Amino acid sequence: MNIPVKNDKLRAWIREVADLCQPDDIYVCNGSQEEYTSMIMKLTETGIAIPLKKRRNSYLFRSDPSDVARVEDRTYISTPSRDDAGPTNHWIAPGELKKIMTGLYRGCMKGRTMYVIPFSMGPVGSPISKIGVEISDSPYVVVNMHIMTRVSTGVMEMLDGGADFIPCLHSIGAPLEQGQKDSSWPCAPLEKKYISHFPEENLIWSYGSGYGGNALLGKKCLALRIASAMARREGWMAEHMLILRLTSPEGKQYHIAAAFPSACGKTNLAMMQPSLPGWKCECIGDDIAWMKAGPDGRLHAINPENGFFGVAPGTSYKTNPMAMDTLKENVIFTNCALTDDGDIWWEGMDGDEPSHAIDWKGRDWTPQSTGEAAHPNARFTAPASQCPVICGDWEKPEGVPIDIFIFGGRRSTVVPLVYEAFNWEHGVFLGATAASETTAANIGAVGNLRRDPFAMTPFCGYHMGDYFQHWLDMGDRLGDRSPRIFYVNWFRKSDEGKFLWPGFSENSRVLKWMCERVDGRARAQETPIGLLPAKGALDMTGLYISADDMEELMRVDRQSWTEEIPDMEQHFSRFGDRLPVRLSRQLEEFKKRLK
Ligand code: SAT
Ligand code: MN
C-alpha cells in the first residue's frame, strides 16, 4: 500500500498498525473542509449522523447506551514501576498491557477504514504546541478531531520535515466480518475497553470506546495525561483549567485560570458575561491550560485545543448565552434529543419542553416519559473560533500571563463561596485537598463526595504526590511572580436544598474581588481556612441576597471543617512518602487554626 507520508517514524508506525489491525483501507487526513463534508455526507447516508434542519451544517449522533462517558476504571497509566503511577491511577505493567491490547488490536479494523489524523495541540508552529497523530477506525472521531484540534496539511508538512509526534492509537474494537451489517455506534463491551498511556514513551493506546475523552485522544489523553508527565520532566504545567481574560472598567486586564472537575461549570465560567457594569470577560479556553514561565518570569498560558466539547444539558441563554450563540452552526451534537422540527433539545434549555421528541436512545419521548430526553453527559463539539467572546489573543503563540488560579468543585455544604490562600504553599494545599461531588462525565455513581486534587484525579499522568511537589517547585521558581490562589464554591445549598448563590454572570462579583485582592485594594478577613471577603468587600450592587443567606454562603463552620479532617488525613496518607512534607505541615497548621 502506498502511504503518502515522508516522516520515517510515522510511515513505519502506520505500516505496523495496519499489519496488526488489518483495515480494508488507509486514509491520511488533511483537515480540509472538503474532507469534513465528505465524511459527514457518508455518515449521513448511513443514518449515523442526523442533519439538523434548524442549524446549518450541524449533526446529531447517538452513541451506544453503554458508551456515554469517560471510563476511569478502564484508564491506565502504564509506567514500568507501579509506584510511579501512584495511588490515584490504575496500573498494569507496560509489557503485560501491551500484550493484552495487541491481542485485542489484532484484526480489529477488518471491514473498516483506518484514518491517520495528524494534529497540533496549540497553534501550529507555536513553541508550546505539540504534534500528535491519531490512528482511528472511527469516522466520528475524525470529524470531532477536525473541530477539537488543528488537523491540517501544515502539520503534515512539519512531520514530512522530520518533526516528532505523539502516536495515539485508537480503535472502537468492532471488526466487521464479510457481509456483516454495521451498527450505528459500534464499540466493545466495558471489560474490553482500555484507555492506556505509556508516559515514558509518550504513547497512547485506546481500545473499545468511541466516546469523548476515550476516543478524541488529543484531549485528556495527550493534552493532560501525557502532557502532565512531560511538563513535570520539562518544568512546565499541563492543567485541567479554563482560561479567561477579565477587563475592568478602567481597562486593566486580568488573566484567570480555573480548575474544576468535569461538568462543574468550567465552560460556563470561561464564557461568562459579567453582571457588573463595565466589566468584560473573554474566553481563551474552557478545559485545558498549558503554562510555561515566560521571559518576564510570569506564567504564560495557552489553550491547546481548537474547540469546545461541552456538556449540553443545563446550557441555556440564562446559564451560558455565549455558548448558545456558539452553537448556531457547524456543530456536532452527541446524545441530545431530537425535536419534531429538526432541532436538538436538552433538559435545561430555554423555553418550554417540547411536547414530543426523540430521546438520546432514539425512542419517542414526551414530558411524561420517565427518563431524560438528553443523556446527562450529552455533548456539543463546536469550533472555539465561533464563540462571540473568544479573546482576540486566544491563539497567541506565547500565551497570556496568568494573574489568578482558582480551584473548586461542587459542594452543597461546608465550603463558602470564596476564599483566598494565605500564600502559594497554602494554595497548593487547597488544590491538593479539593473535593467535589461526582458527575455524569464519568461512568459511575453521581453525587458522591470525592477528593479530586486540582481537578486532576482522572487526568494526572504520574504519581499525584510528585505532582503536588511539582506545584510547590513551580511556586519556588516563580517566586513573587506566582499567580494568587483562590478557592470557590458556587454550589452551596440552604437547609431547604436551594442554591444560595445565583452563579453564572453574578460570579463576576467574586472575580472582581479577586482582581482587587491582586491589586491590594480589597479587604479580607482571616479565618482558619483562608482569607474571606471582609464585610462589604464583595460588590453586591444590584443583587439582592437576604442577610441570612449571605451569612450562610460565607459561613466557616469550625465544627464541619473539623469533621473533614479525617478524610483529608486519609486522602494524604494514600501518597505515602511521596507526599511533600510541606503539605503534611500545612494540614497540621490547618488543624491548629481550627482549634
Ligand atoms: O469526555 S471528556 O473527557 O472529553 C469530557 C470531560 O470529562 O471533561
Ligand atoms: Mn474536562
Side-chain angles (χ1 to χ4, degrees), residues 219-220 224 240 260-263 266 286-288 379 459:
K219 197 175 177 57
K220 308 299 187 180
L224 286 176
H240 191 206
F260 309 139
S262 301
K266 280 197 300 301
D286 81 329
D287 197 39
I288 300 175
R379 296 273 172 164
F459 308 122

